[in-house]
Amino acid sequence: MICPVCKCDMIVVEYHNIELDYCTTCKGVWFDSGELELLLESHGLEEAKLFLDNILDYPEALSSEKKRKCPICSHKMKKATIGEQLKILIDICSEEHGLWFDGGEVTQLTRHLAGEHPPKQDSREQVISFLEEVFEAPE
Ligand SMILES: [Zn+2]
Ligand SMILES: [Zn+2]
């Protein structure tokens, strides 16, 4: 798949049967629809999964950031802001093909989830450290 930001080929990162597409140039990450949910589900993070289910219903965010095209259907994606204070701007395909995180945004999100939910759930910690591992480790 081609990165919606810099048009480079993305690499596939696999972890516990979940595949993500990762751009080594801009560090952006594409989650196919269901993959992020699957990952959270496999770790028993129902709460975090709910949070993702709601993402599609979020209103379009007002942003000067350029619209990105879905790497699957090449329709323009919707911008949505997640996080009360952080305001992470992610791109979502309205055809539900998946979601796009710019470089660094996944880390912001995982930090955010960790902050909202104090470290008492081990499984959540696992997902957070997994995401950090994947997206901060050079391939
Ligand atoms: Zn890129
Ligand atoms: Zn799409």
Side-chain angles (χ1 to χ4, degrees), residues 30 69-75 77 93-98:
W30 172 259
K69 287 179 180 169
C70 170
I72 293 173
C73 65
S74 47
H75 289 149
M77 291 191 280
C93 173
S94 48
E95 309 284 317
E96 303 192 22
H97 288 125

Side-chain angles (χ1 to χ4, degrees), residues 108-119 124-125 128 132:
Q108 272 184 287
L109 171 66
T110 54
R111 295 258 157 81
H112 169 70
L113 287 173
E116 264 192 357
H117 307 279
R124 197 184 304 271
E125 286 293 295
I128 291 159
E132 289 190 346

Side-chain angles (χ1 to χ4, degrees), residues 3-10 22-28 100:
C3 171
V5 178
C6 57
K7 322 283 182 235
C8 295
D9 277 325
M10 293 194 279
Y22 175 63
C23 175
T24 53
T25 309
C26 67
K27 317 283 186 226
W100 173 260

Side-chain angles (χ1 to χ4, degrees), residues 39-55:
L39 170 73
L40 297 168
E41 205 171 59
S42 72
H43 286 78
L45 298 183
E46 291 301 320
E47 211 180 311
K49 201 176 151 271
L50 263 179
F51 163 87
L52 285 173
D53 286 347
N54 293 332
I55 283 182

Side-chain angles (χ1 to χ4, degrees), residues 1 10 25 53 57 63 75-76 91 106 108 119 131 136-137:
M1 255 194 315
M10 293 194 279
T25 309
D53 286 347
D57 300 325
S63 164
H75 289 149
K76 278 182 182 155
D91 300 82
V106 172
Q108 272 184 287
L131 289 169
E136 286 183 352

